[in-house]
Amino acid sequence: MIPYEEEALLTAIAENDTAAYACLYDTYYNTLVYFSLSIIQNQQQAEDIATECLLKLWQAPTRFESTGKLRAYLFTLARNASLNYLKHLRVRDKHGPDISGQTETDVSIESLMVESELMRLVYEEIARLPEAYRQVVELLYLQDLPSADAATQLGISMENFRQRKGRAIAALKTALLKKGVSDRFLSILFF
């Protein structure tokens, strides 16, 4: 993936530069999946929606004033596609009330967007950890393994495992605090 400065990325999108879309995919795909999944509770469909959102942008390149507006556009596409999916399910099943009158509050949608963006930052920082620390975090927090099982899988002692876990969490907290993530969110995330 080619790293882009904000203005260069926005220009590349407007010019339908294929490399820019690879960057967009790497940056936003997981965030859009998480966001859509929080609305529809269907992993496969959430992945499809995220792909469709990025594909729509590629098929109709647009000039955005900022990456914030680009993000808002992608989240709006994902929200609308997710709500349309739910509407389709309700119509198909004819069991639930019609959701056309049902609207998500702006606050809850905005909260989901913020949460999705925070999780994207967390996953980015996990990927940047040294291999030994990253493995510990992935086994404990992403695969939800008990500490003893994770230590066994890594072939290290519990003491070594505890040290790596402590150092990994400290490194993640430091990196995320530098990116503006609140200490309160971090305490909820890791404890």
Side-chain angles (χ1 to χ4, degrees):
M1 174 181 80
I2 300 170
Y4 285 90
E5 294 295 324
E6 179 178 350
E7 187 60 34
L9 176 63
L10 298 174
T11 300
I13 292 167
E15 294 173 354
N16 209 18
D17 180 352
T18 306
Y21 287 97
C23 178
L24 281 175
Y25 182 88
D26 290 343
T27 303
Y28 292 108
Y29 176 77
N30 288 330
T31 305
L32 292 171
V33 169
Y34 182 84
F35 176 69
S36 183
L37 183 61
S38 64
I39 296 171
I40 65 172
Q41 307 300 311
N42 180 317
Q43 179 73 33
Q44 184 61 48
Q45 189 62 36
E47 291 172 3
D48 290 347
I49 287 171
T51 301
E52 288 171 17
C53 292
L54 293 165
L55 186 60
K56 282 182 182 177
L57 181 62
W58 188 28
Q59 291 171 336
T62 306
R63 175 72 183 166
F64 294 95
E65 295 174 20
S66 68
T67 54
K69 293 194 184 224
L70 169 63
R71 258 192 319 272
Y73 174 77
L74 289 171
F75 277 108
T76 299
L77 286 176
R79 181 195 66 207
N80 291 343
S82 298
L83 293 176
N84 286 340
Y85 172 76
L86 291 176
K87 183 177 180 180
H88 170 74
L89 287 181
R90 293 232 170 107
V91 168
R92 186 188 72 192
D93 295 341
K94 293 185 182 184
H95 289 302
D98 180 25
I99 67 162
S100 60
Q102 176 187 355
T103 58
E104 292 285 339
T105 63
D106 289 339
V107 173
S108 65
I109 294 295
E110 186 173 315
S111 295
L112 289 172
M113 289 173 63
V114 168
E115 185 178 336
S116 296
E117 188 65 20
L118 285 171
M119 292 311 296
R120 182 184 67 78
L121 289 173
V122 169
Y123 281 105
E124 278 181 3
E125 291 307 321
I126 288 171
R128 288 188 178 116
L129 287 173
E131 181 72 17
Y133 297 166
R134 185 181 53 74
Q135 289 174 331
V136 168
V137 171
E138 287 177 350
L139 292 173
L140 277 178
Y141 297 105
L142 303 182
Q143 296 181 22
D144 205 24
L145 283 180
S147 294
D149 292 348
T152 301
Q153 187 170 335
L154 293 173
I156 60 176
S157 69
M158 278 302 295
E159 180 59 31
N160 188 317
F161 185 82
R162 283 188 205 100
Q163 289 175 352
R164 288 184 187 186
K165 175 184 171 187
R167 290 175 183 152
I169 290 173
L172 275 175
K173 282 184 174 182
T174 300
L176 291 168
L177 285 170
K178 286 180 182 177
K179 290 192 172 197
V181 176
S182 78
D183 195 33
R184 183 174 176 204
F185 174 76
L186 294 175
S187 63
I188 292 168
L189 184 63
F190 294 113
F191 297 103

